[in-house]
Amino acid sequence: MLYVAWLSIIDPALNQQIRPAHLAYLNELYKKGQVVMAGPFPDGSGGLVIYRANSEDEARTLAEQDPVVAQKARTLTLKTWSPLDFPLPQ
């Protein structure tokens, strides 16, 4: 199952300080197949991570262990995501 984590920056200075650890964390999860895709919003307000996990609890644990969330530089909103298969039926 896929889960989307919306990570809004609430402490820009702390976020900048923790960002290298955040990127390293996401990179490790990507290598394990637990992160599908991630990236920042162009307006600088935060970013989005798509997790692959067996349950919402597992995805929440992964997201909450992200240094930017654990150290309260960003807030976390987590949603189960069901992407559409294309082409869509007519």
Side-chain angles (χ1 to χ4, degrees):
M1 196 81 176
L2 297 177
Y3 300 87
V4 175
W6 186 285
L7 304 174
S8 297
I9 296 172
I10 54 174
D11 186 331
L14 182 58
N15 181 72
Q16 189 63 28
Q17 178 185 347
I18 299 169
R19 190 167 186 270
H22 163 68
L23 295 176
Y25 178 74
L26 293 180
N27 193 46
E28 285 304 311
L29 292 181
Y30 178 79
K31 289 176 186 176
K32 295 177 183 177
Q34 294 175 296
V35 165
V36 176
M37 190 175 286
F41 301 127
D43 67 1
S45 65
L48 186 130
V49 179
I50 300 173
Y51 291 98
R52 180 178 288 117
N54 294 317
S55 68
E56 185 172 347
D57 286 341
E58 180 184 346
R60 183 165 301 282
T61 297
L62 292 172
E64 288 176 346
Q65 290 175 351
D66 185 328
V68 294
V69 176
Q71 295 187 42
K72 301 193 183 334
R74 299 186 189 195
T75 60
L76 167 65
T77 302
L78 185 71
K79 298 279 188 177
T80 303
W81 186 47
S82 298
L84 297 175
D85 289 327
F86 286 93
L88 295 175
Q90 298 295 318

